mmCIF file of all heavy atoms in Angstrom:
data_model
loop_
_atom_site.group_PDB
_atom_site.id
_atom_site.type_symbol
_atom_site.label_atom_id
_atom_site.label_comp_id
_atom_site.label_asym_id
_atom_site.label_seq_id
_atom_site.Cartn_x
_atom_site.Cartn_y
_atom_site.Cartn_z
ATOM 1 N N ALA E 2 123.940 128.255 71.296
ATOM 2 C CA ALA E 2 123.277 127.063 71.973
ATOM 3 C C ALA E 2 121.739 127.331 72.054
ATOM 4 O O ALA E 2 121.310 128.398 72.344
ATOM 5 C CB ALA E 2 123.891 126.985 73.339
ATOM 6 N N ARG E 3 120.983 126.311 71.853
ATOM 7 C CA ARG E 3 119.508 126.247 72.103
ATOM 8 C C ARG E 3 119.196 125.352 73.217
ATOM 9 O O ARG E 3 119.716 124.255 73.307
ATOM 10 C CB ARG E 3 118.752 125.895 70.824
ATOM 11 C CG ARG E 3 118.691 126.882 69.666
ATOM 12 C CD ARG E 3 118.750 126.211 68.358
ATOM 13 N NE ARG E 3 119.919 125.532 68.188
ATOM 14 C CZ ARG E 3 120.000 124.200 67.728
ATOM 15 N NH1 ARG E 3 118.834 123.528 67.427
ATOM 16 N NH2 ARG E 3 121.180 123.577 67.616
ATOM 17 N N LYS E 4 118.344 125.831 74.109
ATOM 18 C CA LYS E 4 117.981 124.956 75.261
ATOM 19 C C LYS E 4 116.707 124.261 75.024
ATOM 20 O O LYS E 4 115.868 124.580 74.280
ATOM 21 C CB LYS E 4 117.690 125.868 76.441
ATOM 22 C CG LYS E 4 118.669 127.024 76.677
ATOM 23 C CD LYS E 4 118.279 127.840 77.868
ATOM 24 C CE LYS E 4 119.319 128.966 77.978
ATOM 25 N NZ LYS E 4 118.992 129.880 79.143
ATOM 26 N N PHE E 5 116.581 123.054 75.611
ATOM 27 C CA PHE E 5 115.251 122.397 75.733
ATOM 28 C C PHE E 5 114.928 122.084 77.152
ATOM 29 O O PHE E 5 114.121 121.340 77.541
ATOM 30 C CB PHE E 5 115.002 121.276 74.849
ATOM 31 C CG PHE E 5 115.934 120.047 74.972
ATOM 32 C CD1 PHE E 5 115.773 119.246 76.062
ATOM 33 C CD2 PHE E 5 116.856 119.774 74.064
ATOM 34 C CE1 PHE E 5 116.605 118.151 76.267
ATOM 35 C CE2 PHE E 5 117.727 118.555 74.212
ATOM 36 C CZ PHE E 5 117.501 117.849 75.276
ATOM 37 N N LYS E 6 115.745 122.649 78.164
ATOM 38 C CA LYS E 6 115.683 122.301 79.507
ATOM 39 C C LYS E 6 114.331 122.637 80.155
ATOM 40 O O LYS E 6 113.861 121.929 80.967
ATOM 41 C CB LYS E 6 116.777 122.821 80.272
ATOM 42 C CG LYS E 6 117.028 122.213 81.607
ATOM 43 C CD LYS E 6 117.409 123.223 82.615
ATOM 44 C CE LYS E 6 117.370 122.562 84.047
ATOM 45 N NZ LYS E 6 117.819 123.530 85.008
ATOM 46 N N THR E 7 113.797 123.777 79.754
ATOM 47 C CA THR E 7 112.650 124.308 80.525
ATOM 48 C C THR E 7 111.550 123.327 80.589
ATOM 49 O O THR E 7 110.716 123.368 81.495
ATOM 50 C CB THR E 7 112.167 125.625 79.915
ATOM 51 O OG1 THR E 7 112.191 125.434 78.437
ATOM 52 C CG2 THR E 7 113.155 126.804 80.292
ATOM 53 N N GLU E 8 111.391 122.363 79.655
ATOM 54 C CA GLU E 8 110.298 121.377 79.736
ATOM 55 C C GLU E 8 110.448 120.443 80.880
ATOM 56 O O GLU E 8 109.565 119.840 81.305
ATOM 57 C CB GLU E 8 110.307 120.494 78.418
ATOM 58 C CG GLU E 8 110.108 121.398 77.169
ATOM 59 C CD GLU E 8 110.564 120.597 75.936
ATOM 60 O OE1 GLU E 8 110.445 119.367 75.972
ATOM 61 O OE2 GLU E 8 110.961 121.240 74.959
ATOM 62 N N VAL E 9 111.645 120.215 81.412
ATOM 63 C CA VAL E 9 111.864 119.198 82.369
ATOM 64 C C VAL E 9 112.594 119.708 83.577
ATOM 65 O O VAL E 9 113.713 120.379 83.458
ATOM 66 C CB VAL E 9 112.817 118.085 81.779
ATOM 67 C CG1 VAL E 9 113.021 117.025 82.767
ATOM 68 C CG2 VAL E 9 112.261 117.591 80.414
ATOM 69 N N ASP E 10 112.010 119.541 84.761
ATOM 70 C CA ASP E 10 112.825 119.792 85.975
ATOM 71 C C ASP E 10 113.213 118.549 86.607
ATOM 72 O O ASP E 10 112.453 117.912 87.326
ATOM 73 C CB ASP E 10 112.038 120.641 87.008
ATOM 74 C CG ASP E 10 112.879 120.829 88.333
ATOM 75 O OD1 ASP E 10 114.092 120.357 88.385
ATOM 76 O OD2 ASP E 10 112.379 121.386 89.218
ATOM 77 N N ALA E 11 114.439 118.075 86.215
ATOM 78 C CA ALA E 11 114.794 116.704 86.535
ATOM 79 C C ALA E 11 115.631 116.691 87.898
ATOM 80 O O ALA E 11 116.169 115.620 88.213
ATOM 81 C CB ALA E 11 115.638 116.135 85.411
ATOM 82 N N SER E 12 115.639 117.723 88.665
ATOM 83 C CA SER E 12 116.468 117.708 89.797
ATOM 84 C C SER E 12 116.051 116.684 90.780
ATOM 85 O O SER E 12 116.863 116.193 91.615
ATOM 86 C CB SER E 12 116.336 119.074 90.529
ATOM 87 O OG SER E 12 115.027 119.283 90.965
ATOM 88 N N ALA E 13 114.824 116.180 90.796
ATOM 89 C CA ALA E 13 114.396 115.134 91.810
ATOM 90 C C ALA E 13 115.000 113.842 91.485
ATOM 91 O O ALA E 13 114.948 112.918 92.248
ATOM 92 C CB ALA E 13 112.909 115.084 91.879
ATOM 93 N N ILE E 14 115.643 113.752 90.278
ATOM 94 C CA ILE E 14 116.396 112.417 89.987
ATOM 95 C C ILE E 14 117.674 112.400 90.621
ATOM 96 O O ILE E 14 118.247 111.373 90.897
ATOM 97 C CB ILE E 14 116.422 112.292 88.475
ATOM 98 C CG1 ILE E 14 115.041 112.266 87.882
ATOM 99 C CG2 ILE E 14 117.284 111.111 88.066
ATOM 100 C CD1 ILE E 14 115.002 112.517 86.392
ATOM 101 N N LEU E 15 118.315 113.626 90.786
ATOM 102 C CA LEU E 15 119.646 113.627 91.431
ATOM 103 C C LEU E 15 119.642 113.187 92.776
ATOM 104 O O LEU E 15 118.616 113.126 93.467
ATOM 105 C CB LEU E 15 120.182 115.051 91.397
ATOM 106 C CG LEU E 15 120.339 115.737 90.020
ATOM 107 C CD1 LEU E 15 120.650 117.288 90.151
ATOM 108 C CD2 LEU E 15 121.626 115.087 89.405
ATOM 109 N N PRO E 16 120.774 112.692 93.296
ATOM 110 C CA PRO E 16 120.911 112.349 94.715
ATOM 111 C C PRO E 16 120.530 113.528 95.657
ATOM 112 O O PRO E 16 120.711 114.660 95.126
ATOM 113 C CB PRO E 16 122.345 111.904 94.951
ATOM 114 C CG PRO E 16 122.928 111.768 93.622
ATOM 115 C CD PRO E 16 122.105 112.657 92.653
ATOM 116 N N PRO E 17 120.070 113.318 96.810
ATOM 117 C CA PRO E 17 119.868 114.407 97.752
ATOM 118 C C PRO E 17 121.146 115.289 97.875
ATOM 119 O O PRO E 17 122.273 114.742 97.745
ATOM 120 C CB PRO E 17 119.498 113.776 99.151
ATOM 121 C CG PRO E 17 119.127 112.356 98.749
ATOM 122 C CD PRO E 17 119.834 112.025 97.469
ATOM 123 N N ARG E 18 120.961 116.562 98.039
ATOM 124 C CA ARG E 18 122.077 117.557 98.098
ATOM 125 C C ARG E 18 123.241 117.073 99.022
ATOM 126 O O ARG E 18 124.424 117.132 98.623
ATOM 127 C CB ARG E 18 121.590 118.947 98.450
ATOM 128 C CG ARG E 18 122.645 119.913 98.574
ATOM 129 C CD ARG E 18 122.159 121.369 98.856
ATOM 130 N NE ARG E 18 123.237 122.193 99.090
ATOM 131 C CZ ARG E 18 124.095 122.670 98.191
ATOM 132 N NH1 ARG E 18 124.009 122.393 96.917
ATOM 133 N NH2 ARG E 18 125.140 123.493 98.525
ATOM 134 N N GLU E 19 122.947 116.664 100.294
ATOM 135 C CA GLU E 19 123.965 116.279 101.221
ATOM 136 C C GLU E 19 124.750 115.166 100.684
ATOM 137 O O GLU E 19 125.989 115.111 100.840
ATOM 138 C CB GLU E 19 123.319 115.978 102.626
ATOM 139 C CG GLU E 19 122.785 117.207 103.327
ATOM 140 C CD GLU E 19 123.889 118.229 103.674
ATOM 141 O OE1 GLU E 19 124.963 117.874 104.057
ATOM 142 O OE2 GLU E 19 123.675 119.413 103.323
ATOM 143 N N GLU E 20 124.069 114.186 100.082
ATOM 144 C CA GLU E 20 124.678 113.012 99.599
ATOM 145 C C GLU E 20 125.527 113.385 98.335
ATOM 146 O O GLU E 20 126.704 112.870 98.231
ATOM 147 C CB GLU E 20 123.587 111.972 99.104
ATOM 148 C CG GLU E 20 124.115 110.678 98.772
ATOM 149 C CD GLU E 20 123.004 109.677 98.407
ATOM 150 O OE1 GLU E 20 121.924 109.782 99.030
ATOM 151 O OE2 GLU E 20 123.152 108.976 97.348
ATOM 152 N N LEU E 21 125.114 114.312 97.529
ATOM 153 C CA LEU E 21 125.857 114.650 96.340
ATOM 154 C C LEU E 21 127.129 115.354 96.836
ATOM 155 O O LEU E 21 128.256 115.159 96.252
ATOM 156 C CB LEU E 21 124.965 115.623 95.525
ATOM 157 C CG LEU E 21 125.641 116.097 94.174
ATOM 158 C CD1 LEU E 21 126.103 114.846 93.272
ATOM 159 C CD2 LEU E 21 124.733 117.008 93.403
ATOM 160 N N LEU E 22 127.016 116.198 97.793
ATOM 161 C CA LEU E 22 128.191 116.943 98.260
ATOM 162 C C LEU E 22 129.218 115.928 98.962
ATOM 163 O O LEU E 22 130.413 116.110 98.723
ATOM 164 C CB LEU E 22 127.765 118.000 99.353
ATOM 165 C CG LEU E 22 127.058 119.222 98.841
ATOM 166 C CD1 LEU E 22 126.655 120.143 99.856
ATOM 167 C CD2 LEU E 22 127.793 119.900 97.643
ATOM 168 N N ALA E 23 128.747 114.975 99.648
ATOM 169 C CA ALA E 23 129.636 114.008 100.229
ATOM 170 C C ALA E 23 130.333 113.240 99.018
ATOM 171 O O ALA E 23 131.509 112.900 99.182
ATOM 172 C CB ALA E 23 128.876 112.966 101.126
ATOM 173 N N THR E 24 129.620 112.906 97.952
ATOM 174 C CA THR E 24 130.224 112.298 96.812
ATOM 175 C C THR E 24 131.283 113.230 96.170
ATOM 176 O O THR E 24 132.416 112.831 95.885
ATOM 177 C CB THR E 24 129.128 111.920 95.769
ATOM 178 O OG1 THR E 24 128.181 111.136 96.407
ATOM 179 C CG2 THR E 24 129.791 111.261 94.574
ATOM 180 N N ILE E 25 130.961 114.456 95.983
ATOM 181 C CA ILE E 25 131.954 115.381 95.546
ATOM 182 C C ILE E 25 133.135 115.480 96.325
ATOM 183 O O ILE E 25 134.280 115.528 95.893
ATOM 184 C CB ILE E 25 131.215 116.758 95.298
ATOM 185 C CG1 ILE E 25 130.199 116.758 94.159
ATOM 186 C CG2 ILE E 25 132.304 117.893 95.061
ATOM 187 C CD1 ILE E 25 129.488 118.007 94.026
ATOM 188 N N ASP E 26 132.920 115.511 97.636
ATOM 189 C CA ASP E 26 134.161 115.499 98.519
ATOM 190 C C ASP E 26 135.052 114.260 98.334
ATOM 191 O O ASP E 26 136.286 114.410 98.317
ATOM 192 C CB ASP E 26 133.719 115.544 100.053
ATOM 193 C CG ASP E 26 133.117 116.773 100.434
ATOM 194 O OD1 ASP E 26 133.322 117.848 99.781
ATOM 195 O OD2 ASP E 26 132.396 116.868 101.471
ATOM 196 N N ARG E 27 134.465 113.106 98.096
ATOM 197 C CA ARG E 27 135.289 111.927 97.789
ATOM 198 C C ARG E 27 135.986 112.074 96.535
ATOM 199 O O ARG E 27 137.147 111.729 96.332
ATOM 200 C CB ARG E 27 134.355 110.630 97.888
ATOM 201 C CG ARG E 27 134.065 110.143 99.267
ATOM 202 C CD ARG E 27 133.516 108.759 99.213
ATOM 203 N NE ARG E 27 132.387 108.625 98.356
ATOM 204 C CZ ARG E 27 131.068 108.846 98.805
ATOM 205 N NH1 ARG E 27 130.891 109.115 100.077
ATOM 206 N NH2 ARG E 27 130.076 108.756 98.017
ATOM 207 N N TRP E 28 135.296 112.549 95.479
ATOM 208 C CA TRP E 28 135.888 112.728 94.245
ATOM 209 C C TRP E 28 137.012 113.657 94.306
ATOM 210 O O TRP E 28 138.164 113.357 93.752
ATOM 211 C CB TRP E 28 134.861 113.261 93.253
ATOM 212 C CG TRP E 28 133.762 112.453 92.759
ATOM 213 C CD1 TRP E 28 133.632 111.018 92.915
ATOM 214 C CD2 TRP E 28 132.565 112.851 92.069
ATOM 215 N NE1 TRP E 28 132.482 110.629 92.376
ATOM 216 C CE2 TRP E 28 131.831 111.700 91.824
ATOM 217 C CE3 TRP E 28 132.120 114.034 91.641
ATOM 218 C CZ2 TRP E 28 130.570 111.686 91.226
ATOM 219 C CZ3 TRP E 28 130.821 114.164 90.973
ATOM 220 C CH2 TRP E 28 130.125 112.919 90.717
ATOM 221 N N LEU E 29 136.876 114.773 94.954
ATOM 222 C CA LEU E 29 137.997 115.752 95.068
ATOM 223 C C LEU E 29 139.145 115.160 95.837
ATOM 224 O O LEU E 29 140.193 115.304 95.409
ATOM 225 C CB LEU E 29 137.407 117.002 95.741
ATOM 226 C CG LEU E 29 136.541 117.908 94.888
ATOM 227 C CD1 LEU E 29 135.777 118.976 95.776
ATOM 228 C CD2 LEU E 29 137.274 118.617 93.764
ATOM 229 N N ALA E 30 138.891 114.510 96.926
ATOM 230 C CA ALA E 30 139.950 113.946 97.716
ATOM 231 C C ALA E 30 140.786 112.947 96.939
ATOM 232 O O ALA E 30 141.978 112.894 97.043
ATOM 233 C CB ALA E 30 139.396 113.234 98.969
ATOM 234 N N GLU E 31 140.080 112.181 96.088
ATOM 235 C CA GLU E 31 140.725 111.173 95.270
ATOM 236 C C GLU E 31 141.806 111.752 94.293
ATOM 237 O O GLU E 31 142.741 111.208 94.088
ATOM 238 C CB GLU E 31 139.590 110.494 94.525
ATOM 239 C CG GLU E 31 140.005 109.374 93.690
ATOM 240 C CD GLU E 31 138.879 108.952 92.718
ATOM 241 O OE1 GLU E 31 138.532 109.639 91.780
ATOM 242 O OE2 GLU E 31 138.290 107.811 93.015
ATOM 243 N N ASP E 32 141.533 112.924 93.779
ATOM 244 C CA ASP E 32 142.472 113.542 92.870
ATOM 245 C C ASP E 32 143.485 114.523 93.507
ATOM 246 O O ASP E 32 144.543 114.641 93.080
ATOM 247 C CB ASP E 32 141.688 114.295 91.748
ATOM 248 C CG ASP E 32 142.639 114.762 90.618
ATOM 249 O OD1 ASP E 32 143.493 113.972 90.310
ATOM 250 O OD2 ASP E 32 142.535 115.869 90.187
ATOM 251 N N ILE E 33 143.020 115.158 94.531
ATOM 252 C CA ILE E 33 143.759 116.223 95.132
ATOM 253 C C ILE E 33 144.602 115.752 96.236
ATOM 254 O O ILE E 33 145.718 116.326 96.511
ATOM 255 C CB ILE E 33 142.742 117.360 95.565
ATOM 256 C CG1 ILE E 33 141.971 117.939 94.344
ATOM 257 C CG2 ILE E 33 143.599 118.474 96.177
ATOM 258 C CD1 ILE E 33 141.046 118.945 94.704
ATOM 259 N N GLY E 34 144.094 114.795 97.019
ATOM 260 C CA GLY E 34 144.844 114.456 98.236
ATOM 261 C C GLY E 34 144.871 115.627 99.131
ATOM 262 O O GLY E 34 143.941 116.353 99.381
ATOM 263 N N ARG E 35 146.077 116.030 99.682
ATOM 264 C CA ARG E 35 146.305 117.065 100.493
ATOM 265 C C ARG E 35 146.577 118.392 99.684
ATOM 266 O O ARG E 35 146.849 119.413 100.376
ATOM 267 C CB ARG E 35 147.347 116.835 101.534
ATOM 268 C CG ARG E 35 148.620 116.426 101.067
ATOM 269 C CD ARG E 35 149.582 116.041 102.090
ATOM 270 N NE ARG E 35 150.928 116.142 101.457
ATOM 271 C CZ ARG E 35 151.418 115.232 100.708
ATOM 272 N NH1 ARG E 35 150.779 114.171 100.404
ATOM 273 N NH2 ARG E 35 152.511 115.371 100.200
ATOM 274 N N GLY E 36 146.564 118.399 98.412
ATOM 275 C CA GLY E 36 146.753 119.570 97.676
ATOM 276 C C GLY E 36 147.539 119.406 96.362
ATOM 277 O O GLY E 36 148.289 118.426 96.294
ATOM 278 N N ASP E 37 147.319 120.261 95.401
ATOM 279 C CA ASP E 37 148.194 120.273 94.198
ATOM 280 C C ASP E 37 149.475 120.927 94.577
ATOM 281 O O ASP E 37 149.508 122.107 94.495
ATOM 282 C CB ASP E 37 147.393 121.119 93.051
ATOM 283 C CG ASP E 37 148.209 121.318 91.890
ATOM 284 O OD1 ASP E 37 149.437 120.812 91.838
ATOM 285 O OD2 ASP E 37 147.784 121.823 90.872
ATOM 286 N N ILE E 38 150.398 120.135 94.846
ATOM 287 C CA ILE E 38 151.669 120.693 95.514
ATOM 288 C C ILE E 38 152.318 121.542 94.408
ATOM 289 O O ILE E 38 153.073 122.516 94.819
ATOM 290 C CB ILE E 38 152.531 119.639 96.091
ATOM 291 C CG1 ILE E 38 152.821 118.495 95.164
ATOM 292 C CG2 ILE E 38 151.919 119.107 97.403
ATOM 293 C CD1 ILE E 38 153.823 117.443 95.778
ATOM 294 N N THR E 39 152.267 121.152 93.181
ATOM 295 C CA THR E 39 152.959 122.004 92.204
ATOM 296 C C THR E 39 152.339 123.397 92.228
ATOM 297 O O THR E 39 153.128 124.496 92.320
ATOM 298 C CB THR E 39 152.695 121.348 90.766
ATOM 299 O OG1 THR E 39 153.016 119.961 90.836
ATOM 300 C CG2 THR E 39 153.611 122.046 89.732
ATOM 301 N N THR E 40 151.012 123.473 92.154
ATOM 302 C CA THR E 40 150.505 124.900 92.117
ATOM 303 C C THR E 40 150.737 125.597 93.380
ATOM 304 O O THR E 40 151.088 126.778 93.445
ATOM 305 C CB THR E 40 148.977 124.726 91.813
ATOM 306 O OG1 THR E 40 148.779 124.132 90.467
ATOM 307 C CG2 THR E 40 148.284 126.081 91.891
ATOM 308 N N ARG E 41 150.528 124.891 94.490
ATOM 309 C CA ARG E 41 150.661 125.548 95.778
ATOM 310 C C ARG E 41 152.058 126.148 96.066
ATOM 311 O O ARG E 41 152.269 127.155 96.666
ATOM 312 C CB ARG E 41 150.388 124.561 96.894
ATOM 313 C CG ARG E 41 148.919 124.213 96.819
ATOM 314 C CD ARG E 41 148.137 124.563 98.127
ATOM 315 N NE ARG E 41 146.830 123.866 98.187
ATOM 316 C CZ ARG E 41 146.455 123.241 99.171
ATOM 317 N NH1 ARG E 41 147.160 123.276 100.422
ATOM 318 N NH2 ARG E 41 145.269 122.700 99.146
ATOM 319 N N TYR E 42 153.092 125.379 95.484
ATOM 320 C CA TYR E 42 154.420 125.883 95.781
ATOM 321 C C TYR E 42 154.908 126.901 94.655
ATOM 322 O O TYR E 42 155.893 127.591 94.909
ATOM 323 C CB TYR E 42 155.444 124.711 95.695
ATOM 324 C CG TYR E 42 155.259 123.660 96.796
ATOM 325 C CD1 TYR E 42 155.684 122.379 96.690
ATOM 326 C CD2 TYR E 42 154.613 124.106 97.974
ATOM 327 C CE1 TYR E 42 155.579 121.494 97.702
ATOM 328 C CE2 TYR E 42 154.429 123.075 99.013
ATOM 329 C CZ TYR E 42 154.945 121.805 98.878
ATOM 330 O OH TYR E 42 154.727 121.007 99.889
ATOM 331 N N MET E 43 154.219 127.059 93.579
ATOM 332 C CA MET E 43 154.612 127.876 92.470
ATOM 333 C C MET E 43 153.807 129.129 92.354
ATOM 334 O O MET E 43 154.367 130.264 92.081
ATOM 335 C CB MET E 43 154.608 127.082 91.105
ATOM 336 C CG MET E 43 155.497 125.846 91.105
ATOM 337 S SD MET E 43 157.194 126.268 91.235
ATOM 338 C CE MET E 43 157.815 124.909 92.202
ATOM 339 N N VAL E 44 152.495 129.006 92.516
ATOM 340 C CA VAL E 44 151.565 130.096 92.277
ATOM 341 C C VAL E 44 151.302 130.854 93.500
ATOM 342 O O VAL E 44 151.054 130.252 94.535
ATOM 343 C CB VAL E 44 150.274 129.641 91.595
ATOM 344 C CG1 VAL E 44 149.309 130.779 91.296
ATOM 345 C CG2 VAL E 44 150.548 128.715 90.346
ATOM 346 N N PRO E 45 151.428 132.252 93.515
ATOM 347 C CA PRO E 45 151.155 132.941 94.798
ATOM 348 C C PRO E 45 149.782 132.707 95.325
ATOM 349 O O PRO E 45 148.797 132.585 94.542
ATOM 350 C CB PRO E 45 151.273 134.463 94.348
ATOM 351 C CG PRO E 45 152.126 134.405 93.112
ATOM 352 C CD PRO E 45 151.803 133.142 92.462
ATOM 353 N N ALA E 46 149.551 132.694 96.647
ATOM 354 C CA ALA E 46 148.358 132.216 97.246
ATOM 355 C C ALA E 46 147.140 133.216 96.793
ATOM 356 O O ALA E 46 146.053 132.750 96.659
ATOM 357 C CB ALA E 46 148.484 132.282 98.697
ATOM 358 N N GLY E 47 147.454 134.405 96.503
ATOM 359 C CA GLY E 47 146.354 135.348 96.162
ATOM 360 C C GLY E 47 146.002 135.443 94.648
ATOM 361 O O GLY E 47 145.077 136.033 94.303
ATOM 362 N N ALA E 48 146.683 134.652 93.779
ATOM 363 C CA ALA E 48 146.496 134.742 92.357
ATOM 364 C C ALA E 48 145.001 134.240 91.999
ATOM 365 O O ALA E 48 144.545 133.438 92.661
ATOM 366 C CB ALA E 48 147.444 133.852 91.760
ATOM 367 N N ARG E 49 144.467 134.853 90.960
ATOM 368 C CA ARG E 49 143.166 134.555 90.519
ATOM 369 C C ARG E 49 143.149 134.056 89.121
ATOM 370 O O ARG E 49 144.083 134.342 88.346
ATOM 371 C CB ARG E 49 142.275 135.720 90.617
ATOM 372 C CG ARG E 49 142.017 136.202 92.160
ATOM 373 C CD ARG E 49 140.997 137.324 92.265
ATOM 374 N NE ARG E 49 139.718 136.910 91.905
ATOM 375 C CZ ARG E 49 138.876 136.340 92.784
ATOM 376 N NH1 ARG E 49 139.268 136.036 94.031
ATOM 377 N NH2 ARG E 49 137.628 135.918 92.494
ATOM 378 N N ALA E 50 142.186 133.370 88.733
ATOM 379 C CA ALA E 50 142.112 132.781 87.357
ATOM 380 C C ALA E 50 140.735 132.984 86.819
ATOM 381 O O ALA E 50 139.704 132.963 87.503
ATOM 382 C CB ALA E 50 142.379 131.311 87.266
ATOM 383 N N ALA E 51 140.609 133.207 85.455
ATOM 384 C CA ALA E 51 139.343 133.362 84.812
ATOM 385 C C ALA E 51 139.287 132.249 83.744
ATOM 386 O O ALA E 51 140.151 132.344 82.740
ATOM 387 C CB ALA E 51 139.039 134.709 84.182
#
Side-chain angles (χ1 to χ4, degrees):
Chain E
R3 281 147 300 131
K4 311 178 187 184
F5 61 71
K6 193 213 172 181
T7 44
E8 300 162 28
V9 181
D10 175 6
S12 65
I14 300 165
L15 292 172
R18 180 175 166 73
E19 287 303 310
E20 189 180 319
L21 184 59
L22 291 181
T24 302
I25 288 176
D26 287 344
R27 280 195 302 273
W28 289 346
L29 286 167
E31 181 189 72
D32 187 40
I33 300 178
R35 54 186 201 281
D37 176 353
I38 52 179
T39 310
T40 297
R41 296 241 193 134
Y42 293 159
M43 299 297 142
V44 180
R49 295 184 69 83

